[in-house]
């Protein structure tokens, strides 16, 4: 069942090669395909070679004639550093990877270092039939029978010790992959850190719950004090208003005005006494006693008012 699924995936990849690229010709059925294209003044052939374990392993891309390009090996006949090729997985699209390589070579025409024809390209009238066996394939491409395995990254302990079967199991079985990841030392260390943080958070949450009742009591106390403060503020505003009234009432200018008003009042009363006496409404003794008292008070107040006025005027001049 696994081999059938892998073969279907292989056919799907070959179909994407034909969908995304023009001039695709079959060299070996299910194993090698050639794409002819032009870049600048030169014509090129790109041979796409699919090993037996493709698409578990990336394809081999041979270019003819040999060129000089930063995606090509030092010999100049194989694409090795294309991003899509470096990151190739069974879930990649072979057609898009090859299309990106051809577009790069067409956008930046490479320098041709050799005009030797591609030894993989078969004449159009001699394209091998689809019943080529794997044995014949390896005879045609002996150097690809056992391709060198890429070194696995050393930053994942134990990964380079796994067999091909175990690696496939990692790729296909999510539970197995999760178990392997959890067994990694740095993942275990991370789990310990997470457990420690969870424990710390739980402790903080417990402390917060214990402080909740105290917080409620302090909140009620604060509300009471806010009420008291509000009452004191209202009382302060009333007393401040009363103070302003008293300040205005007993200010030097206000006292001077009140003295002047009192002087005028006593003078008016003394004048009225004169009119009453002349009109014979009061006798002589009453007139003399009352009139003289009113005039003395008016005179005394007049002296105070004039003295205060003089002091205020002098103070005003001094301030200027």
């Amino acid at each position: 069942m696994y081999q059938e699924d892998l073969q279907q995936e292989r056919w799907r990849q070959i179909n994407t090669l034909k969908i995304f690229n023009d001039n695709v010709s079959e060299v070996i059925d299910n194993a090698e395909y050639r794409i002819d294209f032009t870049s600048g003044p030169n014509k090129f052939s790109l041979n796409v070679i699919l090993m037996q374990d493709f698409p578990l392993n990336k394809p081999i891309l041979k270019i003819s004639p040999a060129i000089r390009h930063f995606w090509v090996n030092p010999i100049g006949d194989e694409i090795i550093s294309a991003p899509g090729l470096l990151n190739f997985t069974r879930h990649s699209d072979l057609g898009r990877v090859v299309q990106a390589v051809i577009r790069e070579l067409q956008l930046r025409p490479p320098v041709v270092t050799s005009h030797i024809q591609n030894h993989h390209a078969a004449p159009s009238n001699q394209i091998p039939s689809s019943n080529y066996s794997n044995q014949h394939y390896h005879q045609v491409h002996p150097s690809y029978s056992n391709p060198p395995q890429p070194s696995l990254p050393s930053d994942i302990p134990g990964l380079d010790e796994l067999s091909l079967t175990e690696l496939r199991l990692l790729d296909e079985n999510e539970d197995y992959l999760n178990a392997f990841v959890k067994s990694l030392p740095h993942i275990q260390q991370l789990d310990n850190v997470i457990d420690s943080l969870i424990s710390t958070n739980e402790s903080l949450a417990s402390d917060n719950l214990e402080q909740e009742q105290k917080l409620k009591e302090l909140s009620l106390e604060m509300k009471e004090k806010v009420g008291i403060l509000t009452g004191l503020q209202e009382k302060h505003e009333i007393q401040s208003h009363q103070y302003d009234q008293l300040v205005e009432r007993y200010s030097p200018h206000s006292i001077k005005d009140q003295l002047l008003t009192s002087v005028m009042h006593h003078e008016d009363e003394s004048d009225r006494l004169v009119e009453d006496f002349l009109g014979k409404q009061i006798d002589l003794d009453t007139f003399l006693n009352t009139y003289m008292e009113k005039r003395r008070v008016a005179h005394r107040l007049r002296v105070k008012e004039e003295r205060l006025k003089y002091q205020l005027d002098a103070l005003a001049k001094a301030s200027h």
Side-chain angles (χ1 to χ4, degrees):
M1 185 67 180
Y2 174 77
Q3 291 297 331
E4 292 179 0
D5 293 341
L6 191 61
Q7 185 61 43
Q8 290 180 358
E9 184 66 25
R10 186 184 183 97
W11 288 337
R12 186 192 70 81
Q13 293 283 1
I14 293 173
N15 286 334
T16 65
L17 180 67
K18 297 176 180 179
I19 291 172
F20 291 102
N21 298 276
D22 299 327
N23 304 321
V24 178
S25 58
E26 184 180 272
V27 179
I28 300 176
D29 179 40
N30 201 32
E32 182 175 353
Y33 296 85
R34 186 181 73 247
I35 303 173
D36 297 323
F37 65 96
T38 301
S39 176
N42 300 309
K43 294 183 178 180
F44 297 94
S45 293
L46 183 67
N47 281 58
V48 182
I49 302 168
L50 310 178
M51 305 305 296
Q52 281 184 312
D53 55 359
F54 177 83
L56 295 180
N57 279 332
K58 60 186 177 183
I60 297 173
L61 304 183
K62 286 286 187 174
I63 184 72
S64 176
I67 60 174
R68 185 182 300 117
H69 190 276
F70 60 94
W71 282 3
V72 178
N73 65 354
I75 300 176
D77 65 344
E78 182 179 348
I79 309 295
I80 59 173
S81 300
L85 195 62
L86 293 174
N87 300 318
F88 189 87
T89 68
R90 64 182 298 180
H91 304 295
S92 303
D93 284 336
L94 175 63
R96 292 183 183 274
V97 173
V98 173
Q99 182 187 51
V101 171
I102 293 175
R103 284 183 178 177
E104 167 64 23
L105 297 179
Q106 288 177 331
L107 289 174
R108 300 175 180 83
V111 177
V112 176
T113 60
S114 171
H115 290 279
I116 301 175
Q117 293 296 322
N118 189 346
H119 65 280
H120 299 293
S124 59
N125 60 350
Q126 296 181 6
I127 295 177
S129 62
S130 60
N131 59 358
Y132 261 45
S133 65
N134 287 332
Q135 180 179 2
H136 179 75
Y137 173 80
H138 294 306
Q139 291 175 354
V140 176
H141 304 289
S143 61
Y144 303 137
S145 299
N146 296 298
Q149 295 295 326
S151 60
L152 295 173
S154 59
D155 56 345
I156 304 181
L159 189 62
D160 54 351
E161 300 176 0
L162 299 180
S163 64
L164 182 59
T165 302
E166 290 174 322
L167 291 174
R168 288 176 177 171
L169 192 58
L170 283 177
D171 182 49
E172 298 169 0
N173 191 317
E174 186 175 354
D175 293 336
Y176 187 82
L177 176 62
N178 291 336
F180 176 78
V181 170
K182 289 182 179 180
S183 67
L184 297 176
H186 55 282
I187 297 298
Q188 292 179 351
Q189 183 179 5
L190 182 60
D191 288 340
N192 292 335
V193 173
I194 293 174
D195 291 340
S196 176
L197 291 175
I198 291 175
S199 177
T200 302
N201 288 340
E202 290 177 349
S203 177
L204 290 174
S206 178
D207 292 341
N208 289 339
L209 290 176
E210 292 178 359
Q211 298 295 331
E212 184 177 4
Q213 182 61 33
K214 184 177 180 180
L215 180 63
K216 289 181 179 179
E217 294 175 357
L218 291 175
S219 178
L220 291 175
E221 183 179 352
M222 184 187 68
K223 289 181 179 179
E224 292 177 359
K225 291 184 177 181
V226 168
I228 295 174
L229 179 62
T230 302
L232 291 174
Q233 185 176 6
E234 293 176 354
K235 184 177 180 180
H236 169 72
E237 291 177 355
I238 294 173
Q239 292 180 346
S240 295
H241 180 66
Q242 293 175 348
Y243 171 79
D244 292 338
Q245 290 178 335
L246 291 174
V247 168
E248 183 179 357
R249 180 178 178 182
Y250 294 105
S251 66
H253 289 282
S254 178
I255 293 174
K256 182 183 75 66
D257 293 338
Q258 292 177 24
L259 286 173
L260 182 59
T261 301
S262 183
V263 168
M264 295 175 63
H265 173 71
H266 283 81
E267 287 180 347
D268 290 341
E269 286 189 347
S270 63
D271 291 340
R272 189 170 59 254
L273 286 173
V274 171
E275 292 177 357
D276 291 343
F277 175 72
L278 293 177
K280 298 182 179 181
Q281 295 180 4
I282 57 175
D283 57 21
L284 179 61
D285 293 336
T286 302
F287 168 73
L288 292 175
N289 291 332
T290 306
Y291 178 78
M292 294 303 294
E293 180 64 25
K294 293 290 184 182
R295 298 304 295 183
R296 280 196 299 270
V297 172
H299 177 71
R300 187 168 60 249
L301 293 175
R302 172 70 70 178
V303 171
K304 291 182 178 180
E305 186 271 335
E306 289 178 352
R307 183 183 299 172
L308 182 58
K309 181 177 182 301
Y310 173 78
Q311 292 175 344
L312 291 175
D313 291 342
L315 183 63
K317 290 180 180 180
S319 63
H320 292 297

